[in-house]
Amino acid sequence: MSKIPVIEMFGPTIQGEGAVIGVKTMFVRTYGCDYHCSWCDSAFTWDGSAKAKVRMMEPAEIMAELLELAGDNFNCVTISGGNPALIGEGMGEFISMLHARGLQAAIETQGSRWQEWFYEVDVLTISPKPPSSGMSTNWEVLDSIMNNLSARNKVTQSLKVVVFDDMDYEYAKSIHRRYPLIPFFLQPGNEDVTEEGDISGRLLERLEWLFNKVIVDKEMNLARVLPQLHALIWHNKRGK
């Protein structure tokens, strides 16, 4: 089945995190996740609250809607979720369709499921979930994914860990030690994804806390600490 469960599309906007932070992008958000993180900022993609909005779309339909939304005013498409890695053949077809138009595909997944189309992704962010999420990392699966990608000698993948507390920070260090050659990003977590109004002050305090931990930690000399840029600007608004 080549159809993809899409719950929302929007853009162009600015990517707020990870390896393509600051890049203008369109967003395609898929439905369904094998994780249920306690602090998930897109729980509507798996908790059933927005299931009525899910559309089963062919790759060509998604492309047509992106072009209708933005014309030629983008070069990157970010595919997020949920977990896009739950989708097989249809996602591979969509990525090929993007490339045929000279467009870049950026995807984030937690590293819980392998897909052959990972090899074709231009910017693949593997984001294992720390203890605060309430999820447990399957190290055998994660090792297999990282080994498969590294064996191709085409490093388009990076690692990103969201950090809420000291235990998460130690988990992040364990990830960095385990895969020391892979570009590694840290970002502070947003502790209240439902708060209305300007949350930038709270987020900047958490960013400073994480800065200070990394500054004094020689094991993190190669880590890159980033904010959730979109949350600083647009706060908890959807579709930004």
Side-chain angles (χ1 to χ4, degrees), residues 29-76:
R29 193 181 296 279
T30 63
Y31 187 80
C33 193
D34 49 336
Y35 277 18
H36 294 167
C37 296
S38 61
W39 36 252
C40 181
D41 62 2
S42 53
F44 64 93
T45 63
W46 52 261
D47 66 6
S49 62
K51 194 171 184 179
K53 296 182 179 179
V54 177
R55 293 179 289 162
M56 298 302 299
M57 303 180 70
E58 296 281 355
E61 293 176 316
I62 299 172
M63 178 62 71
E65 188 161 324
L66 290 172
L67 294 173
E68 183 179 349
L69 283 169
D72 60 356
N73 188 28
F74 67 101
N75 285 91
C76 179

Side-chain angles (χ1 to χ4, degrees), residues 110-144:
Q110 59 261 42
S112 61
R113 184 78 64 91
W114 168 256
Q115 293 288 353
E116 288 294 315
W117 51 256
F118 281 4
Y119 291 128
E120 307 306 319
V121 178
D122 300 286
V123 183
L124 178 62
T125 301
I126 307 293
S127 183
K129 305 308 178 189
S132 64
S133 70
M135 299 293 105
S136 298
T137 301
N138 185 324
W139 295 105
E140 183 177 352
V141 171
L142 185 58
D143 284 345
S144 176

Side-chain angles (χ1 to χ4, degrees), residues 176 180-185 214 217-224:
H176 194 30
L181 301 180
I182 305 301
F184 183 66
F185 298 89
V214 170
D217 190 345
K218 65 182 180 181
E219 288 189 64
M220 291 298 211
N221 286 353
L222 298 178
R224 284 174 265 186

Side-chain angles (χ1 to χ4, degrees), residues 179-240:
Y179 314 108
L181 301 180
I182 305 301
F184 183 66
F185 298 89
L186 294 174
Q187 73 179 49
N190 180 357
E191 294 169 314
D192 186 351
V193 298
T194 63
E195 181 183 353
E196 297 181 356
D198 187 345
I199 62 172
S200 58
R202 173 168 62 78
L203 296 181
L204 287 170
E205 285 181 4
R206 298 304 297 163
L207 183 62
E208 183 180 14
W209 169 81
L210 190 53
F211 275 178
N212 289 335
K213 290 188 75 67
V214 170
I215 285 168
V216 298
D217 190 345
K218 65 182 180 181
E219 288 189 64
M220 291 298 211
N221 286 353
L222 298 178
R224 284 174 265 186
V225 185
L226 298 176
Q228 281 188 304
L229 190 60
H230 58 291
L232 287 176
I233 303 301
W234 292 303
H235 316 303
N236 282 326
K237 294 177 183 177
R238 284 271 301 277
K240 293 291 187 182

